[in-house]
Amino acid sequence: MTDFSGVVPALARALANRGYETLTPVQQSMLDPALARSDALVSAQTGSGKTVAFGLAMAPTLLDEAERFGPAAAPLAMVIAPTRELALQVRRELEWLYAETSAVIASCVGGMDIRSERRALERGAHIVVGTPGRICDHIRREALDLSALKVVVLDEADEMLDLGFREDLEFILESAPDDRRTLMFSATVPAAIARLAKQYQRDAVRIATQSETRQHGDIEYRALLVSPSDREHAIFNVLRYYEAPMAIVFCSTRAAVNHLTARFNNRNVSVVALSGELSQNERNHALQSLRDGRARVCIATDVAARGIDLPGLDLVIHADLPTNPETLLHRSGRTGRAGRKGICTLIVPANQRRKAERLLESARVTATWANAPSADEVQRRDDERLLADPVFAEDVREEEEALVRTLVESHGADRLAAAFVRLYCDRHSAPEELTEVPLDARGPRVRTGEAGSAPRRDYGSSAWFSLSVGRRQNAEPRWLIPMLCRVGNLSKAEIGAIRMQANETFVEIAASHADAFLSALGRNRTLERGITVRSLDGAPDLSRRADTRFPGGRSGGRFAGDRSETAHSYGERSTATRKRRDFYEASAGPASAAPKKHRARSEDGKASSKPFRKKEKPASPKGSENLT
């Protein structure tokens, strides 16, 4: 039998029966004799065997050199986990680990029958595993007696704080005896975890087993660049390319989970969904179908990112980019567990490449950038799998000889091979055609110094122009740029920065095209609907507010042809209003393309291209009093 030095003998036999040959670093660190009676704050990456680690760590305290537990009464140990799935998983792990000690293990998790849990606690238990909310309920109802508690374990402590369980944890720890051992296990140790440890642990030993320089060494990260419209097709091609026996696809919302589940069911992929809207029974069935092999792909929200252990999970796909590095690591940690190799792919739309790069850099993860597998690449992998199929290595059985001979004589080897290929291919849906995205293609960075600024390009030399329209006239680059290209004979590549002010807009144009631009405008230097263009001597000075008067009757930010500063009559204002309306309808295009905030809605609910203007409150008559 394998020698596990420092492990309680009953647990050592359980490890050997389970097939363990060596212990992981976090498990080995918990066997340090100096830690036998001490508190501990342990940080280790997901999939490193933390459940077995704290099971080994608390055994000497619970058994106290005995081989077996006595009759069950008030619990001696409590393990707190953030989610129902993780709590039930911890219970299963502890059941086989403590199988030879006659330990009675009870669970207290939300979504399960609280009356059954109460009866189990009344019968007695040595170890209780549960979620914070349900454990608090049992303590308040006096169904859970903590007076004999010797060890409290907080598994995934950082996740419990993220989920808002701090008050529940504090209530549980304050209800437990002061002389207990407190073991905290966390993937990361942020300031909140450090404060919690300082408050509720005594001289805790700090143990860090994860690499500070490289995360998830057993996981191969691949960032797959795709066209935004090909995102779903790329996910399907990745599943087809790897044909992993078990894979999980992470989405950011429940709606996305339901959508992908329906789409993949239509493609004849055996999938199950896992999200917060499912009942506990439905979630248990989904996980069991994956373990049994009845389903091959799990499409899940981040509710499954913590603690779910699916043996044989080889592939993780991030259909939606995670919001932070911690989520990336915990999602990815579902594969590459306990020494196994795994593949993690991020589906990166081309317009989110920089976000993905920042995410990977923050997580200290190195990924290989590539295109998503094309239809041809998937087909080649199918051919390789077909040729390597173990069925060809088997000899013809005696009972098959007569039929095989008849088939060969009737159809010939070529027809038989073609029929086999067709049967093999019919088991899989055809891969999708994808638009190829150049790996070195990067969109221009957007300068954020000025509102409404356009992508900035380097020209070497450029010329600046001032346009007689600004923010107060609801001007936006989305319709200014097409107008400049159309009237000024420019392309987008020749338009640089756009600096929008209240009543005017500064535009940078490549110097090589500046003269041609002015010539296209004509002698009046106008674009459309009275917008005039003025050449500047250099880059605009944005440190002071511009107060420029334009030719053609424009002053103070009003369009040429609008009412002048001295026009006050209602009729003149109406004329100006119509002209502004006509200008926006001509410039912004159809109502569907105009900015939503500048569109009103008519009584029948249809969008109107008329710009929104706030009604002015009528002034009170002079000398009137406001009576209340």
Side-chain angles (χ1 to χ4, degrees), residues 105 135 236 251 389 431 544 621:
I105 303 175
I135 290 176
F236 178 71
C251 301
D389 197 305
R544 59 183 179 85

Side-chain angles (χ1 to χ4, degrees), residues 231 235 249-251 260 317-321 331 345-347 349:
R231 175 178 156 273
I235 297 170
V249 180
F250 281 108
C251 301
L260 276 184
I317 300 176
H318 300 269
D320 296 315
L321 290 179
R331 282 181 177 185
T345 62
L346 289 83
I347 306 300

